[in-house]
Amino acid sequence: MFTSAIIPAAGAGERMGTAVSKQFLTLHGKPIIIHTLERFQLCGAINEILIAIQPSGRRQMELLINEFHLSKVSHIVDGGRRRQDSVSNALSHVHGDADIVVVHDAVRPFVQQKLILAAIEKARTHSAAVVAVRVKDTVKMGNQEGRFERTLDRSVLWAAQTPQAFAKSLLLEAYAKANRENIDATDDSSLVELLNVQPAIVEGSFDNIKITTLDDLDFASVLARRFRD
Ligand code: CTP
Ligand code: MG
């Protein structure tokens, strides 16, 4: 068994709007991306970590990897224009022996070990697994005229997070199709769904936030203080 983790960290953080890309902002004494990488470094099931980064951030990333002894990092690859391109670049450098690939956003620093492990386990039996939480709000479909057309059935709705874990061969096939057919996706599992595979649901936690806006940063400081794993 060999499991590779891909951490896409090449975003510009436009919605955060800070001069420093959000993955490098300090949270509870260290950069957000370091919190995230440490979760994977400490996970016994992970054999290697690949990070996608903008070329301008490579040197800083190398220094941080040394400083925080992230010995599992095997590759720093160049990020692409879209998240999908960043993951695709990393995917082409995954170890030849890997059978499972886990993808996790650099800006979700609170992921619990048990969720990483559960996603990997489920990917072994179901080929694909996605950590997700039940939607709490009522979700409606709006139209161009600024009106709601209908209300969706909340009992079947989930908000997808990462980690998402896949059989490597399946993820390679999904990305090959996306590249061939110019398909855009905001997460990896939606590409796998286009191959008619139904990823298994791993019920996650509302703590596993993606740090996207300044508000999230405030909440992240609160969560970081009650670090629990
Ligand atoms: N990401 C990436 N390559 C891109 C875009 C995003 O590796 N071209 C990464 C981000 O660094 C982040 C994760 O994908 O870890 C989730 O993306 P998101 O939260 O959207 O981050 P950004 O794209 O940086 O933010 P924004 O969309 O606000 O610009
Ligand atoms: Mg983005």
Side-chain angles (χ1 to χ4, degrees), residues 82-200:
R82 302 166 300 171
R83 178 188 185 281
Q84 189 180 329
D85 303 315
S86 299
V87 173
S88 181
N89 287 351
L91 197 52
S92 61
H93 290 87
V94 158
H95 198 284
D97 293 341
D99 32 32
I100 299 287
V101 176
V102 191
V103 185
H104 182 72
D105 295 324
V107 289
R108 288 188 192 269
F110 303 111
V111 60
Q112 292 168 309
Q113 297 290 336
K114 66 176 183 196
L115 289 181
I116 302 174
L117 293 172
I120 292 169
E121 267 321 301
K122 281 241 164 141
R124 284 198 181 120
T125 49
H126 294 71
S127 301
V130 175
V131 172
V133 288
R134 290 183 182 279
V135 168
K136 289 196 268 191
D137 294 315
T138 297
V139 180
K140 293 173 178 287
M141 268 182 56
N143 64 22
Q144 303 281 12
E145 285 81 53
R147 303 273 188 105
F148 286 129
E149 281 177 4
R150 62 194 189 92
T151 300
L152 303 177
D153 173 10
R154 192 172 60 192
S155 68
V156 296
L157 292 175
W158 294 78
Q161 303 178 338
T162 65
Q164 300 188 354
F166 309 92
K168 181 177 76 175
S169 54
L170 176 66
L171 194 60
L172 283 169
E173 195 185 335
Y175 268 87
K177 180 181 167 73
N179 291 337
R180 214 171 39 237
E181 299 176 17
N182 286 321
I183 299 164
D184 272 325
T186 53
D187 83 340
D188 309 286
S189 59
S190 51
L191 296 177
V192 163
E193 288 158 17
L194 294 176
L195 297 173
N196 294 320
V197 172
Q198 298 184 341

Side-chain angles (χ1 to χ4, degrees), residues 11-15 22 83 210:
E14 279 173 21
R15 285 168 289 179
K22 61 185 179 176
R83 178 188 185 281
K210 181 161 76 68

